[in-house]
Amino acid sequence: MDKNSLGLSIGTTLDRFIKKMQDEHSYATGELSQLLRDIALAGKIINREVNKSGLLDIAGAYGSKNVQGEDQQKLDVIANIRFTRALKNGGMTCAIVSEEEQEIIHLNQNCRYVVCMDPLDGSSNIDVNVSIGTIFSIYRRISPIGGPVQDEDILQLGTDQIAAGYILYGSSTMLVYTTGHGVHSFTLEPSLGEFVLSDENLTCPKDGKIFSINEGYYYQFGEQIKEYLEECKAKEMSARYIGSLVADFHRNMLKGGIYLYPATEKSPNGKLRLLYECNSLAFIAEQAGGVATDGINRIMEIEPTSFHQRTPFVIGSKKMVDRVTKLSTMTDTVLG
Ligand code: AHM
Ligand code: MG
């Protein structure tokens, strides 16, 4: 049986893996480990809801809009409630910022961790049984424990993340996370109800043959993006776009590729949110040897000024993302 560098076999449960990682770091208090377990539990609950969405009346639109003015799906709302409840009951989180809520969700003031999350990303794919995902970032609060959580606790740089990850509800359900010591993936074993280790220290190929972008917006893209797409086509690369960020990113990380959601004329700051979509995946990508930028600047060094701030997003294999940066620098257009 395969053994990884921690001496754990493929198939080791997430709980055991987290405990082993905790034991490797003498300063660890166990609180982050518990929080990761809380997130895994929430993921299992959402997985259950997603799996039965075709059987119950929980697919489709909820009839309301979220803070970005986008239509909420019923499962968006359910996932937000389930996640919030799991983190509240877990008792390790002082505050959450969620794609589905305008303001900070205040939990236990005596805790040190802040979670930024998109409880269910790609939710327009729910009704058609296509992969969707949960994305999360964990930060240590800056303000003193015991007092109310402040905006500064949330508006931290991506480089301040202490953990990040995603859960992909795909042909199987996977949890992928990093605490800054490599990227590890776990597959949900449905009959056991446990996430078990699939891969330790995942790496993203330095170059790839897949490009993922919504080309329907081609005429709204800046010149450097158009030029990059022409280069991809000239090289006969494969176009793959699910329209579910987690699934597109996961595939590209494993196989080598690039995902782009650049600025468009209609959305000059792009569509994706810095705090709970871009930073989280940027941390994973960098830990796997990949790169994430807004076209020029490193995503994890962008100063956040608001909870739901958007940014253009280019992420994936180093050589491919670097090429976009080079073209952007040449045309001197950061966000175009
Ligand atoms: P959401 O957070 O409202 O689900 O939007 C994010 C999703 C991403 O998963 C996906 O990559 C992108 O939006 C697709 O957008 P578009 O339909 O404009 O290509
Ligand atoms: Mg989203």
Side-chain angles (χ1 to χ4, degrees), residues 96-120:
I96 299 173
V97 163
S98 164
E99 179 176 321
E100 304 304 327
E101 310 253 355
Q102 177 80 49
E103 302 297 340
I104 301 176
I105 304 168
H106 291 272
L107 299 180
N108 186 342
Q109 287 192 1
N110 296 316
C111 298
R112 73 176 79 235
Y113 294 116
V114 167
V115 176
C116 298
M117 65 172 183
D118 182 351
L120 208 52

Side-chain angles (χ1 to χ4, degrees), residues 99 118 121 273 277:
E99 179 176 321
D118 182 351
D121 183 73
R273 276 52 56 123
E277 293 175 325

Side-chain angles (χ1 to χ4, degrees), residues 48 69 113 151 216:
R48 189 186 62 194
Y113 294 116
D151 287 3

Side-chain angles (χ1 to χ4, degrees), residues 39-59 74-75 78-79 81-83 85-86 89 119-120 126 129 132 134 167-170 172-174 188-191 193-195:
I39 288 173
L41 173 64
K44 287 186 217 173
I45 295 168
I46 294 167
N47 178 64
R48 189 186 62 194
E49 305 292 345
V50 168
N51 276 322
K52 65 185 186 191
S53 71
L55 303 172
L56 302 172
D57 183 28
I58 54 174
K74 286 180 198 164
L75 269 170
I78 292 172
I81 293 169
R82 296 287 197 219
F83 233 97
R85 197 179 291 161
N89 292 342
L120 208 52
I126 293 169
N129 206 0
I132 43 182
T134 294
I167 302 163
L168 171 59
Y169 312 98
S172 63
T173 296
M174 283 199 118
L188 183 63
E189 213 293 20
S191 61
E194 295 270 15
F195 282 106

Side-chain angles (χ1 to χ4, degrees), residues 11 74 83 87 96 112 186 210 274 309 319:
K74 286 180 198 164
F83 233 97
L87 295 185
I96 299 173
R112 73 176 79 235
F186 299 80
I210 300 173
L274 177 63
Q309 176 173 336
K319 220 174 148 187

